[in-house]
Amino acid sequence: QVQLVESGGGVVQPGKSLRLSCAASGFTFSNYAMHWVRQAPGKGLEWVAAISYDGSNSEYADSVKGRFIISRDNSKNTLYLQMKSLRAEDSAVYYCARVETVDILTGYFDYWGQGTLVTVSS
Amino acid sequence: SYVLTQPPSVSVAPGKTARITCGGNNIGSEPVHWYQQKPGQAPVLVIYYDSDRPSGIPERFSGSNSGSTATLTISRVEAGDEADYYCQVWDGSRDRVFGGGTKLIVL
């Protein structure tokens, strides 16, 4: 069965960096585009970033562009989100999610991880 | 920027029909997907491409999309349907992919 397991969350000071990971199993990871979606406490879902099946193309929400980098290692079936210059407003549960297509910015999220909490606070 | 507008909450009695709307400029021209999220859990896909249901989702869940409004309809509402529901659209604008969410309250 498809499993997505996020890790790497925690408490970090403003301005610092953090890297999230998402370990995928139960499907051919290299055949699917992948995304990060976040949810601030008590708030709605916010799309963060996407990467194509082969890592050749990526897109970002304006709120994180220039600070976050999405990447993937298909040999390790793992998705990453490198977050830099973190702000209080980046505090959220971060979900990795699969879309049913190879392309980014299309399709629907058919599988989600359980999320990892990032808290940016001094 | 493209805005997806959902009512903050919808209340319905058990056994009745709930309709949750997602408004957007000419949203009928784009595929709309819907997610259910219960407290402390990850979202779950309940409707994709306007009206298709994933396996395991009850037939009570249906969707439509036309003009400026997409609608998620839940028939014969049960207590277990109480959750937040989000619509999702890809329109080329990266700053609004999800609607703001609607809390379904089962009275």
PDB file of all heavy atoms in Angstrom, chain A residues 63-92:
ATOM      1  N   SER A  63       4.871  32.725  -1.438  1.00  0.00           N
ATOM      2  CA  SER A  63       5.215  32.942  -0.032  1.00  0.00           C
ATOM      3  C   SER A  63       6.534  32.266   0.364  1.00  0.00           C
ATOM      4  O   SER A  63       7.109  32.622   1.408  1.00  0.00           O
ATOM      5  CB  SER A  63       4.087  32.429   0.871  1.00  0.00           C
ATOM      6  OG  SER A  63       3.851  31.049   0.630  1.00  0.00           O
ATOM      7  N   VAL A  64       7.007  31.305  -0.414  1.00  0.00           N
ATOM      8  CA  VAL A  64       8.234  30.590  -0.052  1.00  0.00           C
ATOM      9  C   VAL A  64       9.310  30.677  -1.129  1.00  0.00           C
ATOM     10  O   VAL A  64      10.439  30.220  -0.916  1.00  0.00           O
ATOM     11  CB  VAL A  64       7.951  29.108   0.266  1.00  0.00           C
ATOM     12  CG1 VAL A  64       6.874  28.984   1.335  1.00  0.00           C
ATOM     13  CG2 VAL A  64       7.573  28.333  -0.987  1.00  0.00           C
ATOM     14  N   LYS A  65       8.976  31.243  -2.261  1.00  0.00           N
ATOM     15  CA  LYS A  65       9.924  31.302  -3.373  1.00  0.00           C
ATOM     16  C   LYS A  65      11.188  32.047  -2.959  1.00  0.00           C
ATOM     17  O   LYS A  65      11.128  33.099  -2.331  1.00  0.00           O
ATOM     18  CB  LYS A  65       9.273  31.991  -4.567  1.00  0.00           C
ATOM     19  CG  LYS A  65      10.025  31.834  -5.872  1.00  0.00           C
ATOM     20  CD  LYS A  65       9.233  32.448  -7.028  1.00  0.00           C
ATOM     21  CE  LYS A  65       7.944  31.724  -7.281  1.00  0.00           C
ATOM     22  NZ  LYS A  65       7.210  32.274  -8.449  1.00  0.00           N
ATOM     23  N   GLY A  66      12.332  31.447  -3.275  1.00  0.00           N
ATOM     24  CA  GLY A  66      13.619  32.024  -2.912  1.00  0.00           C
ATOM     25  C   GLY A  66      14.122  31.598  -1.546  1.00  0.00           C
ATOM     26  O   GLY A  66      15.286  31.841  -1.212  1.00  0.00           O
ATOM     27  N   ARG A  67      13.253  30.979  -0.742  1.00  0.00           N
ATOM     28  CA  ARG A  67      13.652  30.518   0.603  1.00  0.00           C
ATOM     29  C   ARG A  67      13.603  29.004   0.727  1.00  0.00           C
ATOM     30  O   ARG A  67      14.372  28.406   1.483  1.00  0.00           O
ATOM     31  CB  ARG A  67      12.752  31.132   1.661  1.00  0.00           C
ATOM     32  CG  ARG A  67      12.787  32.657   1.715  1.00  0.00           C
ATOM     33  CD  ARG A  67      12.005  33.187   2.922  1.00  0.00           C
ATOM     34  NE  ARG A  67      10.608  32.803   2.887  1.00  0.00           N
ATOM     35  CZ  ARG A  67      10.001  32.114   3.856  1.00  0.00           C
ATOM     36  NH1 ARG A  67      10.668  31.714   4.913  1.00  0.00           N
ATOM     37  NH2 ARG A  67       8.710  31.821   3.755  1.00  0.00           N
ATOM     38  N   PHE A  68      12.681  28.360   0.022  1.00  0.00           N
ATOM     39  CA  PHE A  68      12.508  26.914   0.108  1.00  0.00           C
ATOM     40  C   PHE A  68      12.977  26.272  -1.200  1.00  0.00           C
ATOM     41  O   PHE A  68      12.827  26.847  -2.289  1.00  0.00           O
ATOM     42  CB  PHE A  68      11.047  26.537   0.330  1.00  0.00           C
ATOM     43  CG  PHE A  68      10.491  26.888   1.692  1.00  0.00           C
ATOM     44  CD1 PHE A  68      11.170  27.710   2.577  1.00  0.00           C
ATOM     45  CD2 PHE A  68       9.253  26.394   2.080  1.00  0.00           C
ATOM     46  CE1 PHE A  68      10.663  28.019   3.816  1.00  0.00           C
ATOM     47  CE2 PHE A  68       8.719  26.696   3.318  1.00  0.00           C
ATOM     48  CZ  PHE A  68       9.434  27.517   4.184  1.00  0.00           C
ATOM     49  N   ILE A  69      13.517  25.067  -1.089  1.00  0.00           N
ATOM     50  CA  ILE A  69      13.903  24.301  -2.266  1.00  0.00           C
ATOM     51  C   ILE A  69      13.358  22.884  -2.130  1.00  0.00           C
ATOM     52  O   ILE A  69      13.619  22.198  -1.129  1.00  0.00           O
ATOM     53  CB  ILE A  69      15.434  24.235  -2.428  1.00  0.00           C
ATOM     54  CG1 ILE A  69      16.013  25.640  -2.644  1.00  0.00           C
ATOM     55  CG2 ILE A  69      15.813  23.334  -3.617  1.00  0.00           C
ATOM     56  CD1 ILE A  69      17.523  25.688  -2.680  1.00  0.00           C
ATOM     57  N   ILE A  70      12.604  22.461  -3.128  1.00  0.00           N
ATOM     58  CA  ILE A  70      12.091  21.109  -3.162  1.00  0.00           C
ATOM     59  C   ILE A  70      13.029  20.262  -4.022  1.00  0.00           C
ATOM     60  O   ILE A  70      13.527  20.729  -5.053  1.00  0.00           O
ATOM     61  CB  ILE A  70      10.642  21.066  -3.701  1.00  0.00           C
ATOM     62  CG1 ILE A  70      10.038  19.667  -3.571  1.00  0.00           C
ATOM     63  CG2 ILE A  70      10.566  21.569  -5.130  1.00  0.00           C
ATOM     64  CD1 ILE A  70       8.542  19.605  -3.915  1.00  0.00           C
ATOM     65  N   SER A  71      13.264  19.039  -3.591  1.00  0.00           N
ATOM     66  CA  SER A  71      14.125  18.144  -4.362  1.00  0.00           C
ATOM     67  C   SER A  71      13.686  16.713  -4.092  1.00  0.00           C
ATOM     68  O   SER A  71      12.860  16.457  -3.205  1.00  0.00           O
ATOM     69  CB  SER A  71      15.599  18.338  -3.986  1.00  0.00           C
ATOM     70  OG  SER A  71      15.823  18.026  -2.623  1.00  0.00           O
ATOM     71  N   ARG A  72      14.237  15.805  -4.860  1.00  0.00           N
ATOM     72  CA  ARG A  72      13.904  14.398  -4.681  1.00  0.00           C
ATOM     73  C   ARG A  72      15.093  13.533  -5.050  1.00  0.00           C
ATOM     74  O   ARG A  72      15.926  13.909  -5.869  1.00  0.00           O
ATOM     75  CB  ARG A  72      12.683  14.019  -5.517  1.00  0.00           C
ATOM     76  CG  ARG A  72      12.878  14.129  -7.012  1.00  0.00           C
ATOM     77  CD  ARG A  72      11.535  14.010  -7.751  1.00  0.00           C
ATOM     78  NE  ARG A  72      10.910  12.702  -7.546  1.00  0.00           N
ATOM     79  CZ  ARG A  72       9.617  12.463  -7.756  1.00  0.00           C
ATOM     80  NH1 ARG A  72       8.823  13.438  -8.166  1.00  0.00           N
ATOM     81  NH2 ARG A  72       9.132  11.248  -7.568  1.00  0.00           N
ATOM     82  N   ASP A  73      15.153  12.362  -4.422  1.00  0.00           N
ATOM     83  CA  ASP A  73      16.157  11.362  -4.754  1.00  0.00           C
ATOM     84  C   ASP A  73      15.390  10.091  -5.106  1.00  0.00           C
ATOM     85  O   ASP A  73      14.922   9.368  -4.206  1.00  0.00           O
ATOM     86  CB  ASP A  73      17.099  11.135  -3.567  1.00  0.00           C
ATOM     87  CG  ASP A  73      18.261  10.199  -3.910  1.00  0.00           C
ATOM     88  OD1 ASP A  73      18.109   9.379  -4.841  1.00  0.00           O
ATOM     89  OD2 ASP A  73      19.288  10.277  -3.230  1.00  0.00           O
ATOM     90  N   ASN A  74      15.233   9.848  -6.392  1.00  0.00           N
ATOM     91  CA  ASN A  74      14.440   8.699  -6.813  1.00  0.00           C
ATOM     92  C   ASN A  74      15.107   7.375  -6.472  1.00  0.00           C
ATOM     93  O   ASN A  74      14.429   6.347  -6.370  1.00  0.00           O
ATOM     94  CB  ASN A  74      14.149   8.789  -8.308  1.00  0.00           C
ATOM     95  CG  ASN A  74      13.076   9.832  -8.625  1.00  0.00           C
ATOM     96  OD1 ASN A  74      12.378  10.313  -7.728  1.00  0.00           O
ATOM     97  ND2 ASN A  74      12.962  10.199  -9.890  1.00  0.00           N
ATOM     98  N   SER A  75      16.419   7.385  -6.287  1.00  0.00           N
ATOM     99  CA  SER A  75      17.104   6.151  -5.894  1.00  0.00           C
ATOM    100  C   SER A  75      16.811   5.785  -4.444  1.00  0.00           C
ATOM    101  O   SER A  75      16.933   4.619  -4.057  1.00  0.00           O
ATOM    102  CB  SER A  75      18.610   6.285  -6.103  1.00  0.00           C
ATOM    103  OG  SER A  75      19.162   7.213  -5.187  1.00  0.00           O
ATOM    104  N   LYS A  76      16.419   6.788  -3.658  1.00  0.00           N
ATOM    105  CA  LYS A  76      16.098   6.567  -2.245  1.00  0.00           C
ATOM    106  C   LYS A  76      14.599   6.687  -1.967  1.00  0.00           C
ATOM    107  O   LYS A  76      14.174   6.605  -0.809  1.00  0.00           O
ATOM    108  CB  LYS A  76      16.858   7.557  -1.364  1.00  0.00           C
ATOM    109  CG  LYS A  76      18.373   7.393  -1.407  1.00  0.00           C
ATOM    110  CD  LYS A  76      19.055   8.379  -0.475  1.00  0.00           C
ATOM    111  CE  LYS A  76      20.567   8.170  -0.486  1.00  0.00           C
ATOM    112  NZ  LYS A  76      21.273   9.144   0.403  1.00  0.00           N
ATOM    113  N   ASN A  77      13.810   6.915  -3.012  1.00  0.00           N
ATOM    114  CA  ASN A  77      12.355   7.078  -2.847  1.00  0.00           C
ATOM    115  C   ASN A  77      12.024   8.138  -1.794  1.00  0.00           C
ATOM    116  O   ASN A  77      11.152   7.933  -0.929  1.00  0.00           O
ATOM    117  CB  ASN A  77      11.702   5.751  -2.460  1.00  0.00           C
ATOM    118  CG  ASN A  77      11.747   4.734  -3.586  1.00  0.00           C
ATOM    119  OD1 ASN A  77      11.918   5.089  -4.761  1.00  0.00           O
ATOM    120  ND2 ASN A  77      11.622   3.472  -3.235  1.00  0.00           N
ATOM    121  N   THR A  78      12.714   9.256  -1.869  1.00  0.00           N
ATOM    122  CA  THR A  78      12.570  10.278  -0.843  1.00  0.00           C
ATOM    123  C   THR A  78      12.413  11.662  -1.461  1.00  0.00           C
ATOM    124  O   THR A  78      13.126  12.020  -2.404  1.00  0.00           O
ATOM    125  CB  THR A  78      13.764  10.267   0.121  1.00  0.00           C
ATOM    126  OG1 THR A  78      13.890   8.969   0.711  1.00  0.00           O
ATOM    127  CG2 THR A  78      13.572  11.297   1.238  1.00  0.00           C
ATOM    128  N   LEU A  79      11.493  12.406  -0.885  1.00  0.00           N
ATOM    129  CA  LEU A  79      11.232  13.801  -1.244  1.00  0.00           C
ATOM    130  C   LEU A  79      11.772  14.686  -0.135  1.00  0.00           C
ATOM    131  O   LEU A  79      11.709  14.315   1.039  1.00  0.00           O
ATOM    132  CB  LEU A  79       9.718  14.014  -1.390  1.00  0.00           C
ATOM    133  CG  LEU A  79       9.209  15.420  -1.672  1.00  0.00           C
ATOM    134  CD1 LEU A  79       9.539  15.827  -3.104  1.00  0.00           C
ATOM    135  CD2 LEU A  79       7.701  15.477  -1.427  1.00  0.00           C
ATOM    136  N   TYR A  80      12.284  15.844  -0.509  1.00  0.00           N
ATOM    137  CA  TYR A  80      12.854  16.769   0.481  1.00  0.00           C
ATOM    138  C   TYR A  80      12.266  18.164   0.334  1.00  0.00           C
ATOM    139  O   TYR A  80      11.793  18.550  -0.731  1.00  0.00           O
ATOM    140  CB  TYR A  80      14.377  16.868   0.313  1.00  0.00           C
ATOM    141  CG  TYR A  80      15.106  15.559   0.426  1.00  0.00           C
ATOM    142  CD1 TYR A  80      15.525  14.874  -0.713  1.00  0.00           C
ATOM    143  CD2 TYR A  80      15.395  15.004   1.673  1.00  0.00           C
ATOM    144  CE1 TYR A  80      16.205  13.670  -0.619  1.00  0.00           C
ATOM    145  CE2 TYR A  80      16.070  13.793   1.782  1.00  0.00           C
ATOM    146  CZ  TYR A  80      16.467  13.132   0.628  1.00  0.00           C
ATOM    147  OH  TYR A  80      17.134  11.936   0.730  1.00  0.00           O
ATOM    148  N   LEU A  81      12.338  18.915   1.438  1.00  0.00           N
ATOM    149  CA  LEU A  81      12.044  20.339   1.401  1.00  0.00           C
ATOM    150  C   LEU A  81      13.078  21.036   2.271  1.00  0.00           C
ATOM    151  O   LEU A  81      13.068  20.876   3.495  1.00  0.00           O
ATOM    152  CB  LEU A  81      10.629  20.649   1.907  1.00  0.00           C
ATOM    153  CG  LEU A  81      10.213  22.114   1.764  1.00  0.00           C
ATOM    154  CD1 LEU A  81      10.074  22.493   0.286  1.00  0.00           C
ATOM    155  CD2 LEU A  81       8.903  22.392   2.502  1.00  0.00           C
ATOM    156  N   GLN A  82      13.977  21.750   1.620  1.00  0.00           N
ATOM    157  CA  GLN A  82      14.970  22.539   2.333  1.00  0.00           C
ATOM    158  C   GLN A  82      14.383  23.915   2.581  1.00  0.00           C
ATOM    159  O   GLN A  82      14.032  24.629   1.634  1.00  0.00           O
ATOM    160  CB  GLN A  82      16.261  22.644   1.522  1.00  0.00           C
ATOM    161  CG  GLN A  82      17.337  23.496   2.180  1.00  0.00           C
ATOM    162  CD  GLN A  82      17.914  22.844   3.433  1.00  0.00           C
ATOM    163  OE1 GLN A  82      18.321  21.689   3.412  1.00  0.00           O
ATOM    164  NE2 GLN A  82      17.938  23.603   4.523  1.00  0.00           N
ATOM    165  N   MET A  83      14.281  24.285   3.846  1.00  0.00           N
ATOM    166  CA  MET A  83      13.671  25.558   4.218  1.00  0.00           C
ATOM    167  C   MET A  83      14.728  26.456   4.847  1.00  0.00           C
ATOM    168  O   MET A  83      15.382  26.054   5.817  1.00  0.00           O
ATOM    169  CB  MET A  83      12.520  25.315   5.197  1.00  0.00           C
ATOM    170  CG  MET A  83      11.468  24.347   4.666  1.00  0.00           C
ATOM    171  SD  MET A  83      10.053  24.146   5.766  1.00  0.00           S
ATOM    172  CE  MET A  83      10.838  23.347   7.141  1.00  0.00           C
ATOM    173  N   LYS A  84      14.870  27.664   4.310  1.00  0.00           N
ATOM    174  CA  LYS A  84      15.850  28.615   4.817  1.00  0.00           C
ATOM    175  C   LYS A  84      15.155  29.898   5.233  1.00  0.00           C
ATOM    176  O   LYS A  84      14.000  30.156   4.855  1.00  0.00           O
ATOM    177  CB  LYS A  84      16.893  28.913   3.737  1.00  0.00           C
ATOM    178  CG  LYS A  84      17.655  27.698   3.236  1.00  0.00           C
ATOM    179  CD  LYS A  84      18.649  28.083   2.140  1.00  0.00           C
ATOM    180  CE  LYS A  84      19.402  26.850   1.644  1.00  0.00           C
ATOM    181  NZ  LYS A  84      20.362  27.183   0.556  1.00  0.00           N
ATOM    182  N   SER A  85      15.864  30.705   6.006  1.00  0.00           N
ATOM    183  CA  SER A  85      15.328  32.011   6.440  1.00  0.00           C
ATOM    184  C   SER A  85      13.908  31.874   6.962  1.00  0.00           C
ATOM    185  O   SER A  85      13.005  32.603   6.556  1.00  0.00           O
ATOM    186  CB  SER A  85      15.383  33.012   5.282  1.00  0.00           C
ATOM    187  OG  SER A  85      16.677  33.161   4.788  1.00  0.00           O
ATOM    188  N   LEU A  86      13.721  30.940   7.862  1.00  0.00           N
ATOM    189  CA  LEU A  86      12.376  30.634   8.351  1.00  0.00           C
ATOM    190  C   LEU A  86      11.786  31.791   9.144  1.00  0.00           C
ATOM    191  O   LEU A  86      12.490  32.525   9.846  1.00  0.00           O
ATOM    192  CB  LEU A  86      12.408  29.357   9.187  1.00  0.00           C
ATOM    193  CG  LEU A  86      12.486  28.072   8.341  1.00  0.00           C
ATOM    194  CD1 LEU A  86      12.948  26.881   9.169  1.00  0.00           C
ATOM    195  CD2 LEU A  86      11.139  27.801   7.692  1.00  0.00           C
ATOM    196  N   ARG A  87      10.483  31.931   8.999  1.00  0.00           N
ATOM    197  CA  ARG A  87       9.728  32.996   9.660  1.00  0.00           C
ATOM    198  C   ARG A  87       8.653  32.370  10.544  1.00  0.00           C
ATOM    199  O   ARG A  87       8.264  31.212  10.337  1.00  0.00           O
ATOM    200  CB  ARG A  87       9.073  33.888   8.608  1.00  0.00           C
ATOM    201  CG  ARG A  87      10.019  34.421   7.540  1.00  0.00           C
ATOM    202  CD  ARG A  87       9.236  34.993   6.372  1.00  0.00           C
ATOM    203  NE  ARG A  87      10.117  35.535   5.327  1.00  0.00           N
ATOM    204  CZ  ARG A  87       9.707  35.866   4.117  1.00  0.00           C
ATOM    205  NH1 ARG A  87       8.432  35.714   3.788  1.00  0.00           N
ATOM    206  NH2 ARG A  87      10.571  36.337   3.238  1.00  0.00           N
ATOM    207  N   ALA A  88       8.134  33.156  11.443  1.00  0.00           N
ATOM    208  CA  ALA A  88       7.066  32.663  12.321  1.00  0.00           C
ATOM    209  C   ALA A  88       5.873  32.161  11.502  1.00  0.00           C
ATOM    210  O   ALA A  88       5.233  31.162  11.848  1.00  0.00           O
ATOM    211  CB  ALA A  88       6.634  33.764  13.278  1.00  0.00           C
ATOM    212  N   GLU A  89       5.606  32.845  10.391  1.00  0.00           N
ATOM    213  CA  GLU A  89       4.453  32.464   9.567  1.00  0.00           C
ATOM    214  C   GLU A  89       4.664  31.176   8.787  1.00  0.00           C
ATOM    215  O   GLU A  89       3.745  30.695   8.132  1.00  0.00           O
ATOM    216  CB  GLU A  89       4.066  33.602   8.610  1.00  0.00           C
ATOM    217  CG  GLU A  89       5.193  34.111   7.742  1.00  0.00           C
ATOM    218  CD  GLU A  89       5.889  35.337   8.329  1.00  0.00           C
ATOM    219  OE1 GLU A  89       6.013  35.420   9.580  1.00  0.00           O
ATOM    220  OE2 GLU A  89       6.313  36.200   7.530  1.00  0.00           O
ATOM    221  N   ASP A  90       5.867  30.606   8.851  1.00  0.00           N
ATOM    222  CA  ASP A  90       6.110  29.297   8.245  1.00  0.00           C
ATOM    223  C   ASP A  90       5.726  28.157   9.189  1.00  0.00           C
ATOM    224  O   ASP A  90       5.766  26.986   8.787  1.00  0.00           O
ATOM    225  CB  ASP A  90       7.580  29.147   7.853  1.00  0.00           C
ATOM    226  CG  ASP A  90       8.014  30.116   6.767  1.00  0.00           C
ATOM    227  OD1 ASP A  90       7.227  30.319   5.814  1.00  0.00           O
ATOM    228  OD2 ASP A  90       9.124  30.673   6.873  1.00  0.00           O
ATOM    229  N   SER A  91       5.367  28.490  10.413  1.00  0.00           N
ATOM    230  CA  SER A  91       4.967  27.465  11.382  1.00  0.00           C
ATOM    231  C   SER A  91       3.704  26.763  10.887  1.00  0.00           C
ATOM    232  O   SER A  91       2.689  27.413  10.601  1.00  0.00           O
ATOM    233  CB  SER A  91       4.700  28.097  12.755  1.00  0.00           C
ATOM    234  OG  SER A  91       5.867  28.660  13.292  1.00  0.00           O
ATOM    235  N   ALA A  92       3.777  25.455  10.780  1.00  0.00           N
ATOM    236  CA  ALA A  92       2.666  24.697  10.205  1.00  0.00           C
ATOM    237  C   ALA A  92       2.975  23.208  10.266  1.00  0.00           C
ATOM    238  O   ALA A  92       4.119  22.809  10.515  1.00  0.00           O
ATOM    239  CB  ALA A  92       2.431  25.100   8.751  1.00  0.00           C
TER     240      ALA A  92
END
